[in-house]
Amino acid sequence: MEDLRTTPQFLNILAAEANHFVTVSITLSDDEKNDFENELSAAFVSDSFSDTVNAWNAERRRVHTETIEEHVMPHGAKWTREWLREEVEDLLARRCGESLREVSSSM
């Protein structure tokens, strides 16, 4: 991610995507996603032991998984994509400003 953030390459990739040459997907690895799901479930499951508690814990895990898959991951990917685009645009604007200052100071 850092490599994409410090070069204009991501803007080129987005341009290629706009022309239907490539498709950009932002995802977490299975391990990272599982760790996230486990941490979220650990915050909400009950420590008690009974059939009712186990059933509720299973339902909580199902809801967490569904929420992550259908809401958190798609919105997180969209946010990350836009954040990265903005970062690269800001980087290029700073570089252009520095170049203009160098040119104007040398005149």
Side-chain angles (χ1 to χ4, degrees):
M1 184 80 107
E2 188 63 27
D3 291 341
L4 289 175
R5 203 171 75 93
T6 58
T7 67
Q9 182 179 11
F10 189 66
L11 296 179
N12 294 330
I13 292 169
L14 292 178
E17 183 180 48
N19 289 317
H20 305 289
F21 296 134
V22 298
T23 301
V24 177
S25 298
I26 297 175
T27 61
L28 290 176
S29 70
D30 288 338
D31 289 341
E32 291 169 324
K33 193 171 119 187
N34 287 337
D35 289 346
F36 180 62
E37 286 178 7
N38 290 336
E39 286 181 34
L40 185 61
S41 290
F44 288 97
V45 295
S46 176
D47 292 338
S48 300
F49 297 100
S50 73
D51 291 339
T52 305
V53 169
N54 290 337
W56 272 110
N57 285 342
E59 182 65 14
R60 288 180 184 112
R61 285 186 188 95
R62 186 192 66 75
V63 169
H64 295 152
T65 300
E66 181 179 314
T67 301
I68 289 168
E69 290 292 326
E70 294 181 17
H71 302 286
V72 174
M73 295 304 292
H75 291 289
K78 183 178 178 181
W79 179 89
T80 302
R81 177 188 179 101
E82 288 304 307
W83 173 82
L84 187 54
R85 182 187 56 76
E86 290 172 2
E87 287 289 307
V88 173
E89 287 174 348
D90 290 346
L91 172 74
L92 289 176
R94 282 191 305 276
R95 286 183 181 171
C96 288
E98 290 167 2
S99 293
L100 287 172
R101 279 189 290 281
E102 288 174 13
V103 169
S104 65
S105 67
S106 67
M107 293 182 145

